[in-house]
Amino acid sequence: MRALIATIASGAIILWLAGAAHAHGGFYGGPGGAGTSGGFAPGGSGTPGPGGDPNGGGTTGGRGQGNGGTTGTGGKIGGSTGPRGSGNGGGLSGNGGVPGLSGGVSGGRKKASGGMRWDDWWYMNDERFLRLKAKLRAREIETTNPDLFVGADRATAAGGRVAERRVRNDILPRLRAAGGDSFYDVRAAAVIALGKCGEEDARVDILAALDDEDAVVRESACLALGIHGSAKSLGVLEAIARDDASGRKLLGLGGREIEVRTRVFAAIAIGLIGDRQSGLDEDGSALATLRALASPRADARAAQDDLTVGPVIALGICRSPAVVPDLLGVVADERRAPAIRSHAATSLGKLGDRAAIRGLIEALGDKQSVVRQSAAIALGRLLRSDDREVARLVRAAEREKDTAARRFAIMALGRVGGETAHDALHRLLDDGNTEIRPFAALALGASYHERPLAPFREETGKLVLKQFRNAASPESRGGFAIALGLLRHAGASEDLLAVLRKEGSEKLRTHACVALGLMECRAAIPLVRAALDEPGREDLRRYAAISLGLLGDRDAIEILRTELASEHKSLAELGSITRGLGFIGDASVVAPLGEMATDHVAYQDATRAFAAVALGLLGDKDELPMLSRIAEDTNFMAAGAALSELLSLL
């Protein structure tokens, strides 16, 4: 998921990071070329390849049609190719691929031992812990300048919900204008943002983008219909997912086949509508379409695996328990591709039907490692703390030979909680190797974060703090720092503040920022503000913005607005600022972002695209991004091309 648009959809995960990630609402990788270290900022200076011709020749930093594009280094998870091209990396994407795939993990880092690091899991799952937008909206902080607009709502919180009339009267017109932009990424960003805003009449604009000349915009429109969530869009999405003649006509393709990724995105969109509508009609054509696409096909090309994985994932989020037998059959069928079976297992976990436990326990012993990995993830969602099957999960966490499967099992125990799971995690925290201990700490932190009244939380915090102090590597210390934040262990605040006070590992300092935000340590605000102002450290600045949002620092908005108004900003800086304003900004930033999104003279193509993303974040009707349903508890180790692209959107 890494073409600009790909990441554009996001918004989910996390301020400036994202990424994600975030983390976490959106992991907007930015337009092509070489991103900054960590890969969340926009990067590159190349010209995109032409939008209409699959065989066009993009230039350095561009989309990467044919052999024209060059590999970018940005992107939270890093895609492998451009949206339609088969060139050298696509230029809009990172160079790593989803964690565990060919070459690397979040932000272009080298692949860790076993292909999975603790922060890979964190970036894909942090949204449910950060819940930044929900927290900001809940605070009901008065806007920093309520008189900037006539009739402005004085109760608009920093990062809070922009009033519906402001969305209709100020945000939607700007997004509609951006939808006619000459640059494809601006159009793609605008259509996704329209879906986020959720206004009924915005659906007309999204439908109009289906026949755009650029495939990225077309697939974005499909996904936007899913994010928008209207059941009226099901017929359109079914036709596209099936590659019907009517679907080709809607996309303006004439007799040409619909691109694989567009069909996958349409299938995912059907699942998103089912999620929002609390289920798909069990006798309806939409569910029948997903079931048919998830069934075995005669052709076994890799691209066709994506055409099956997409619908399988959609079945997991469509809230239709009738498909549990279908998915169990896929998991058990050893003739199916391992990736398809793997995603069928995680879909069973997301459906939440405990009837799937027996089949998943069997899958925990499958000969394919990716199937075992996904079985562990799914069991973490389905098992209760007193189930006897928890012992099987403990065994996998302690003895599984596949590194990733073992680490997923550890994180699953944190999901399950309870005495048996916690005892096992404490053993791993004490006796596990240096790479396992951060996972055990993170699993305990996640467990106590969701169960703050569970016994021995304070004692656990002390044990994790001891590991933080004794750990030698910044990477391990970062994992312990996030765990301490999730545990809200006040005794760790001085240690984490000390990390911010001194020069050192930028990565560790970013994690310390987030941990202090999770702990709501307001004493950290001056230091985090200082980190926000450090030039050339884009990752640190992104996480500092997340932290200030978590800490409820209303002055962060004015800091970002001042940064936006200053001259000589790089694309990376502009991208970070606009996305930061989109996540924690209030109504006072709608006007400057709207101007930025639509002024072709004053702002570059990439800047306009970033501003459109930020407007979508401001107008987003959901407190948790819709696409986080896909990222959370997915097996990113088994992601193919289309899913990798989708995950980067989150």
Side-chain angles (χ1 to χ4, degrees):
M1 298 208 3
R2 267 327 136 34
L4 173 66
I5 155 142
T7 28
I8 270 174
S10 117
I13 213 165
I14 308 174
L15 179 60
W16 287 12
L17 128 79
H22 251 25
H24 348 219
F27 305 124
Y28 184 66
T36 59
S37 175
F40 298 107
S45 56
T47 303
D53 182 3
N55 299 312
T59 60
T60 303
R63 168 163 267 112
Q65 309 297 325
N67 296 316
T70 58
T71 303
T73 59
K76 175 178 177 186
I77 306 171
S80 56
T81 61
R84 298 180 309 285
S86 56
N88 302 320
L92 288 177
S93 302
N95 65 354
V98 171
L101 296 184
S102 57
V105 290
S106 313
R109 296 167 301 168
K110 291 182 180 179
K111 186 165 62 174
S113 173
M116 176 183 173
R117 293 165 32 156
W118 70 263
D119 45 352
D120 299 325
W121 182 91
W122 173 248
Y123 290 149
M124 298 304 297
N125 292 274
D126 60 359
E127 187 64 41
R128 78 174 190 260
F129 304 107
L130 294 174
R131 297 183 64 86
L132 180 59
K133 205 166 191 85
K135 291 175 182 177
L136 291 170
R137 285 174 172 174
R139 287 194 180 109
E140 293 296 322
I141 302 173
E142 193 172 274
T143 182
T144 56
N145 190 348
D147 300 320
L148 280 178
F149 298 96
V150 175
D153 295 19
R154 294 190 62 85
T156 299
R161 191 184 304 277
V162 175
E164 289 186 10
R165 72 170 181 275
R166 179 65 44 73
V167 174
R168 288 193 303 270
N169 297 336
D170 297 306
I171 293 181
L172 289 183
R174 292 290 194 172
L175 291 176
R176 289 186 174 111
D181 198 280
S182 59
F183 188 50
Y184 63 88
D185 274 329
V186 179
R187 301 196 302 276
V191 73
I192 290 290
L194 285 167
K196 287 177 174 291
C197 292
E199 294 289 322
E200 177 57 33
D201 58 354
R203 179 172 170 271
V204 176
D205 300 278
I206 299 171
L207 289 169
L210 285 173
D211 66 352
D212 192 276
E213 65 181 6
D214 193 284
V216 168
V217 182
R218 296 195 294 270
E219 68 190 25
S220 299
C222 290
L223 200 56
L225 289 173
I227 295 169
H228 183 271
S230 172
K232 297 177 183 177
S233 302
L234 287 173
V236 169
L237 293 168
E238 290 172 55
I240 294 171
R242 293 192 304 257
D243 190 21
D244 287 351
S246 59
R248 297 180 184 184
K249 183 177 180 180
L250 285 165
L251 297 173
L253 297 178
R256 288 181 291 153
E257 291 184 356
I258 299 174
E259 295 90 343
V260 167
R261 201 166 73 192
T262 303
R263 296 178 63 190
V264 172
F265 280 22
I268 294 291
I270 293 172
L272 291 172
I273 291 174
D275 180 77
R276 193 181 292 283
Q277 301 291 332
S278 298
L280 294 172
D281 182 355
E282 293 187 3
D283 296 323
S285 60
L287 191 61
T289 293
L290 293 181
R291 282 173 137 167
L293 291 172
S295 299
R297 280 196 280 281
D299 52 50
R301 294 178 296 166
Q304 301 304 321
D305 283 352
D306 272 346
L307 282 179
T308 303
V309 166
V312 163
I313 291 172
L315 289 173
I317 58 176
C318 72
R319 300 202 192 188
S320 300
V323 303
V324 168
D326 302 58
L327 292 171
L328 282 170
V330 173
V331 173
D333 188 352
E334 295 184 357
R335 297 168 299 176
R336 307 295 296 273
I340 296 172
R341 298 174 62 214
S342 170
H343 291 294
T346 53
S347 286
L348 285 166
K350 292 182 181 184
L351 281 170
D353 192 328
R354 284 170 54 83
I357 289 176
R358 178 179 295 182
L360 290 168
I361 288 291
E362 292 179 4
L364 204 57
D366 197 87
K367 64 182 180 181
Q368 297 291 340
S369 60
V370 290
V371 177
R372 300 198 302 276
Q373 293 162 13
S374 292
I377 295 169
L379 287 168
R381 294 181 68 111
L382 295 180
L383 290 177
R384 297 171 182 156
S385 60
D386 57 352
D387 286 339
R388 58 184 177 84
E389 291 88 352
V390 175
R392 293 291 301 275
L393 206 53
V394 169
R395 189 184 310 166
E398 294 179 336
R399 304 178 189 176
E400 168 64 56
K401 293 182 179 179
D402 178 73
T403 302
R406 185 181 183 190
R407 294 172 183 180
F408 278 130
I410 291 171
M411 299 314 302
L413 287 174
R415 267 279 199 181
V416 173
E419 183 177 354
T420 301
H422 283 190
D423 284 350
L425 292 173
H426 276 105
R427 288 196 299 272
L428 292 168
L429 182 64
D430 288 336
D431 302 326
N433 62 39
T434 55
E435 291 187 350
I436 285 295
R437 289 177 182 177
F439 280 91
L442 191 61
L444 284 165
S447 184
Y448 279 105
H449 185 81
E450 295 180 339
R451 305 172 185 86
L453 299 180
F456 307 114
R457 177 179 160 200
E458 181 67 18
E459 291 81 354
T460 299
K462 292 177 181 178
L463 292 172
V464 175
L465 178 57
K466 180 181 178 181
Q467 293 287 349
F468 175 81
R469 290 170 173 170
N470 293 338
S473 76
E475 180 181 334
S476 293
R477 296 188 78 206
F480 296 131
I482 294 295
L484 289 166
L486 292 171
L487 285 160
R488 297 173 62 88
H489 186 62
S493 59
E494 282 303 319
D495 292 77
L496 294 170
L497 289 168
V499 169
L500 288 186
R501 289 191 186 102
K502 64 183 181 181
E503 287 292 324
S505 165
E506 179 181 352
K507 191 173 295 184
L508 175 57
R509 295 175 72 207
T510 63
H511 293 137
C513 280
V514 175
L516 288 162
L518 287 165
M519 293 166 57
E520 298 186 12
C521 176
R522 294 189 59 81
I525 287 178
L527 288 170
V528 179
R529 284 185 187 171
L532 182 65
D533 198 37
E534 290 191 29
R537 301 203 173 197
E538 297 306 323
D539 286 344
L540 178 60
R541 298 178 76 195
R542 288 182 202 95
Y543 284 95
I546 294 172
S547 181
L548 290 174
L550 292 170
L551 292 168
D553 181 20
R554 59 185 295 174
D555 293 331
I557 294 175
E558 190 56 36
I559 293 171
L560 292 171
R561 290 189 65 197
T562 301
E563 289 274 305
L564 184 64
S566 63
E567 298 181 354
H568 309 301
K569 291 292 180 188
S570 68
L571 282 179
E573 291 171 312
L574 282 173
S576 293
I577 292 166
T578 53
R579 296 195 64 245
L581 287 171
F583 274 100
I584 65 174
D586 61 10
S588 68
V589 303
V590 170
L593 286 172
E595 179 181 351
M596 179 179 285
T598 54
D599 189 334
H600 294 244
V601 176
Y603 300 103
Q604 301 177 59
D605 292 345
T607 305
R608 298 197 307 278
F610 276 123
V613 173
L615 288 173
L617 297 175
L618 283 171
D620 195 344
K621 61 188 175 296
D622 296 308
E623 291 185 344
L624 284 176
M626 283 297 291
L627 292 181
S628 67
R629 276 74 163 170
I630 301 166
E632 183 179 320
D633 288 326
T634 193
N635 187 351
F636 47 80
M637 303 294 290
L643 179 57
S644 296
E645 191 70 25
L646 187 62
L647 289 177
S648 74
L649 294 179
L650 299 163

